[in-house]
């Protein structure tokens, strides 16, 4: 199961090709560096074949910073300043994130395109509407249903509760829909913490380690104050990340900074790891992410394809995500109940790639499925999407070798083709075709990082795996294959675990660590068997799919 990451401590506004709501002079603003996926996706190559009338005003030095005029479906001439827009539709540079007066930036040179552009709600809807052969059909309708599902079924804010949304700038359209949906569901308040990939990279590259780890009490206290308040709090994490945002930077520095942040936020992490509050993670495309997945497509096409994939695997495309998810969750709960009825003491993984791994289970381990319930009895869905049935390994009873079947993103950098060997629960040997040093840093995070805290079963028949796409995102890729997680166990995966102390959890074999990092080990030919406490052996998976 993916966990909410709190590694980035920067929630600052900025970025290339983004609309920023400021009304003072912008002529001296530095050139932005990251392209916004949303504006490119929603105003794609051909979507403006018959564009709605979108009035714009220009003044001062930037009046020549407009894109070329568009005639008869063709772009007439290059951009007046940077010369980089000769093949771009006129409206591609606009960023329809909201109604209101906004400042827009030139895609090529970074100059503001005009002081103020006003978008009405009707015009936004016209921009989002699909034209033949250009964009996801019924996009507006699907996006709203996606947002409503994320809020009402995913994080499920209760009347009187505060919702905090942690969100990248590129996910602003989805965040705004989620804000409205949460208020309509009865939330007392909704707050959005913004972050930006370019700012995060700049801080990590140029900031001193001392400054990056100089956390202030209010940063933690804010979450705890809401959690301890009468109405409590829930958290929604919307990701639109660059899988390699920190590529080429000092990986050791990144690991130390992120470890310091995890330690600082540990009291809050207790709330989410123990399901004391509702939390959920969902995603929308970003340009770097889409291009990483589909390098042979241009950016617009890549984003459109990723949107369609997200809608498909999140069961939104059919138009009834709530109904489809109810049926899906019922199936997962049936599998969960069957696994618990076996009363297993271990599971064994074997596949032709060399994996031969026995995972002993923690004392009184319980198998869980997609849905969770907080301490007040409120149901929520931590991961969107999810396909897993999972439990807690015993930290001292894992033996054998396992090979990774999908790349893994750790600290904004890739680990590919990894393998690890376990002896009595600890990793004693490891390697990787790419990112071997990074894997070593992960395993050296703390004492518990060399043991695993989760084992999850996911069939090769899952929609994500059937899509044939490699997402370079743990949220998606872990739901395409069986996986294990280095680091902490979820207390909820042992009987009454959320009521136990750390010492009591350790006595049951539940692993303790500052990290919980899922890595994919399931193969198309995975054979998985379970050993029951009464001595029976049961077949769980054959040829990568459930045999129950």
């Amino acid at each position: 199961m993916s966990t909410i990451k709190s590694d980035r401590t920067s929630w600052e506004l900025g970025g290339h090709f983004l609309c920023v709501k400021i009304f003072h002079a912008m002529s001296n603003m530095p050139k932005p560096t990251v392209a916004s996926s949303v504006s490119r996706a929603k105003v794609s190559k051909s979507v403006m074949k018959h564009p709605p009338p979108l009035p714009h005003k220009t003044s001062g030095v930037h009046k020549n910073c407009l894109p070329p005029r568009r005639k008869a479906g063709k772009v007439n001439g290059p951009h007046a300043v940077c010369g980089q827009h000769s093949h771009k539709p006129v409206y591609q540079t606009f960023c329809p994130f909201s109604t209101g007066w906004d400042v827009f930036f030139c895609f090529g040179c970074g100059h503001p395109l005009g002081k103020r552009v006003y978008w009405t709600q009707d015009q936004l809807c016209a921009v989002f509407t699909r034209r033949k052969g250009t964009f996801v059909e019924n996009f507006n309708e699907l996006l709203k249903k996606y947002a409503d599902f994320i809020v009402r079924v995913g994080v499920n804010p209760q009347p009187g509760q505060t919702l905090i949304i942690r969100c990248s700038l590129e996910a602003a359209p989805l965040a705004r829909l989620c804000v409205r949906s949460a208020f309509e569901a009865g939330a007392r308040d909704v707050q959005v913490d913004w972050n930006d990939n370019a700012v995060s990279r700049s801080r990590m590259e140029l900031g001193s380690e001392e400054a990056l780890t100089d956390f202030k009490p209010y940063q933690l206290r804010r979450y705890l104050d809401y959690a301890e308040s009468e109405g409590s709090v829930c958290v929604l994490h919307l990701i639109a990340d660059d899988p390699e945002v920190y590529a080429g930077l000092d990986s050791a520095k990144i690991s130390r900074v992120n470890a310091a942040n995890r330690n600082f936020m540990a009291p809050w992490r207790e709330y989410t790891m123990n399901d004391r509050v509702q939390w959920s993670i969902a995603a929308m495309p970003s340009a770097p992410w889409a291009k990483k997945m589909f390098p042979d497509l241009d950016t617009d096409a890549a984003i459109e394809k990723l949107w369609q994939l997200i809608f498909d695997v999140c069961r939104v495309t059919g138009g009834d995500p709530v109904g489809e998810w109810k049926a899906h969750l019922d199936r997962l709960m049936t599998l969960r109940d069957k696994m618990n009825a076996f009363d297993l003491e271990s599971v064994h993984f074997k596949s032709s790639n060399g994996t031969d791994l026995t995972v002993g289970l923690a004392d009184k381990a319980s198998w869980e499925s997609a849905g969770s319930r907080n301490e007040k009895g409120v149901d929520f869905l931590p991961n969107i999407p999810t396909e897993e049935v999972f439990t807690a390994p015993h930290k001292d009873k894992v033996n054998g070798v396992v090979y990774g079947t999908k790349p893994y993103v750790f600290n904004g950098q890739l680990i590919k083709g990894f393998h690890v060997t376990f002896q009595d629960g600890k990793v004693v040997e490891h390697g990787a075709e790419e990112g071997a040093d990074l894997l070593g840093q992960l395993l050296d995070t703390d004492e518990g990082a060399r043991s695993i805290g989760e084992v999850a079963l996911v069939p090769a028949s899952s929609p994500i795996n059937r899509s044939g796409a490699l997402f370079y995102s743990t949220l998606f890729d872990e739901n395409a294959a069986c996986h294990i997680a280095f680091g902490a166990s979820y207390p909820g995966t042992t009987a009454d675990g959320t009521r136990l102390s750390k010492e009591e959890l350790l006595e049951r074999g539940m692993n303790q660590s500052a990290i919980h990092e899922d890595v994919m080990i399931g193969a198309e030919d995975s054979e998985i068997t379970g050993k029951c406490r009464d001595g029976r052996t049961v077949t769980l998976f054959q040829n990568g799919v459930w045999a129950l």
Side-chain angles (χ1 to χ4, degrees):
M1 176 184 287
S2 293
T3 57
I4 297 177
K5 307 293 184 184
S6 57
D7 293 345
R8 291 180 189 163
T9 58
S10 167
W11 307 102
E12 302 166 0
L13 297 179
H16 188 103
F17 197 60
L18 296 170
C19 57
V20 180
K21 290 194 170 185
I22 45 181
F23 304 125
H24 59 274
M26 302 293 291
S27 58
N28 294 321
M29 174 170 278
K31 179 177 177 179
T33 58
V34 176
S36 164
S37 62
V38 179
S39 52
R40 296 196 208 180
K42 293 196 171 76
V43 194
S44 57
K45 298 183 288 185
S46 311
V47 80
M48 297 309 298
K49 201 167 188 178
H50 305 288
L54 300 175
H56 61 263
K57 300 178 182 179
T58 63
S59 62
V61 67
H62 299 303
K63 64 183 179 180
N64 291 325
C65 251
L66 289 171
R69 305 302 292 174
R70 194 171 184 276
K71 295 181 180 179
K74 298 182 179 179
V75 174
N76 182 23
H79 185 279
V81 174
C82 68
Q84 293 187 23
H85 290 167
S86 58
H87 300 294
K88 299 288 183 182
V90 59
Y91 290 107
Q92 183 166 343
T93 50
F94 290 116
C95 184
F97 283 177
S98 67
T99 59
W101 293 97
D102 291 318
V103 175
F104 301 92
F105 295 105
C106 160
F107 176 65
C109 67
H111 285 202
L113 297 181
K115 268 193 175 178
R116 294 182 177 180
V117 180
Y118 189 81
W119 299 77
T120 69
Q121 189 63 46
D122 289 344
Q123 289 166 342
L124 291 178
C125 290
V127 170
F128 292 169
T129 301
R130 178 188 187 272
R131 304 299 179 183
K132 183 176 181 182
T134 59
F135 199 48
V136 180
E137 190 158 3
N138 302 321
F139 179 81
N140 277 344
E141 179 184 350
L142 294 179
L143 185 65
K144 187 175 187 308
K145 288 185 176 182
Y146 184 43
D148 285 341
F149 173 73
I150 289 169
V151 170
R152 295 172 184 265
V153 178
V155 72
N156 194 13
Q158 299 299 290
Q161 194 172 37
T162 295
L163 169 63
I164 297 176
I165 300 176
R166 299 185 65 174
C167 173
S168 70
L169 287 173
E170 294 188 331
L174 181 58
R176 289 186 174 122
L177 289 173
C178 289
V179 169
R180 294 191 63 86
S181 182
F183 276 119
E184 290 167 358
R188 175 180 178 272
D189 191 18
V190 184
Q191 300 183 14
V192 182
D193 291 343
W194 302 99
N195 68 81
D196 176 58
N197 286 332
V199 171
S200 296
R201 181 181 174 90
S202 294
R203 294 186 75 240
M204 193 63 74
E205 178 183 6
L206 304 173
S208 70
E209 194 168 326
E210 178 186 7
L212 294 173
T213 56
D214 183 18
F215 308 115
K216 303 303 181 185
Y218 79 89
Q219 293 173 284
L220 169 62
R221 196 64 245 173
R222 175 185 176 225
Y223 286 92
L224 299 182
D225 283 346
Y226 277 114
E228 295 164 2
S229 67
E230 182 178 354
S232 190
V233 71
C234 53
V235 177
L236 173 60
H237 193 73
L238 298 178
I239 61 173
D241 287 341
D242 178 353
E244 297 181 281
V245 64
Y246 294 140
L249 301 188
D250 183 347
S251 60
K253 175 185 176 182
I254 297 167
S255 293
R256 291 191 299 270
V257 170
N258 287 343
N261 186 53
R262 284 191 294 267
N263 290 333
F264 174 75
M265 295 297 292
W268 166 246
R269 194 163 177 263
E270 289 292 315
Y271 277 86
T272 56
M273 288 295 289
N274 286 281
D275 290 344
R276 295 179 62 186
V277 298
Q278 308 105 277
W279 57 275
S280 189
I281 313 174
M284 68 169 285
S286 70
W289 182 19
K291 284 294 290 180
K292 179 67 179 179
M293 288 183 62
F294 308 111
D296 295 334
L297 299 179
D298 65 40
T299 301
D300 292 332
I303 291 170
E304 291 168 13
K305 188 166 184 176
L306 181 50
W307 260 123
Q308 186 64 71
L309 272 175
I310 290 175
F311 285 155
D312 287 347
V313 302
C314 292
R315 295 175 167 81
V316 176
T317 305
D320 181 21
V322 174
E324 289 192 39
W325 272 92
K326 183 180 184 303
H328 176 53
L329 295 179
D330 286 344
R331 288 191 294 270
L332 290 178
M333 285 189 289
T334 298
L335 291 166
R336 174 203 66 188
D337 293 343
K338 289 181 178 180
M339 293 295 292
N340 282 321
F342 287 136
D343 191 21
L344 299 173
E345 68 176 24
S346 66
V347 291
H348 179 251
F349 293 80
K350 192 172 183 61
S351 55
S352 61
N353 63 5
T355 290
D356 189 353
L357 183 72
T358 299
V359 179
L361 303 186
D363 298 343
K364 298 185 179 180
S366 64
W367 290 86
E368 301 296 332
S369 60
S372 294
R373 180 171 293 172
N374 75 2
E375 61 186 5
K376 295 182 179 179
V378 178
D379 293 323
F380 63 99
L381 190 59
N383 292 351
I384 301 172
T386 184
E387 304 286 334
E388 63 186 322
V389 177
F390 61 97
T391 193
H394 194 291
K395 65 183 184 64
D396 300 324
K397 298 180 180 179
V398 180
N399 290 281
V401 62
V402 64
Y403 287 81
T405 53
K406 293 181 183 294
Y408 173 67
V409 178
F410 178 63
N411 286 344
Q413 300 175 78
L414 281 176
I415 300 172
K416 292 183 179 180
F418 73 89
H419 72 272
V420 292
T421 301
F422 290 90
Q423 183 176 330
D424 296 331
K426 294 284 187 181
V427 174
V428 294
E429 187 272 336
H430 61 84
E433 296 171 5
E434 179 181 329
D437 291 342
L438 193 62
L439 176 60
Q441 292 168 15
L442 184 160
L443 297 172
D444 289 338
T445 301
D446 56 29
E447 183 180 356
R450 285 182 174 262
S451 299
I452 59 174
E454 177 188 344
V455 57
L457 305 185
V458 178
S461 58
S462 76
I464 297 171
N465 196 56
R466 289 202 311 267
S467 74
L470 177 61
F471 282 83
Y472 297 97
S473 167
T474 301
L475 177 63
F476 290 86
D477 290 332
E478 73 164 5
N479 288 294
C482 295
H483 55 271
I484 56 176
F486 296 110
S489 301
Y490 287 104
T493 51
T494 184
D496 297 319
T498 56
R499 302 177 184 177
L500 301 181
S501 67
K502 286 186 177 180
E503 293 72 24
E504 291 170 322
L505 290 170
L506 280 170
E507 288 179 4
R508 293 192 181 184
M510 303 286 283
N511 196 36
Q512 304 289 322
S513 174
I515 66 169
H516 180 97
E517 300 289 343
D518 300 277
V519 295
M520 285 56 76
I521 64 169
E524 295 288 338
D525 63 348
S526 289
E527 301 287 331
I528 307 175
T529 56
K531 183 179 179 182
C532 305
R533 297 188 189 277
D534 62 10
R536 290 178 299 146
T537 297
V538 293
T539 299
L540 306 176
F541 268 50
Q542 286 184 326
N543 295 318
V545 298
W546 286 102
L548 302 184

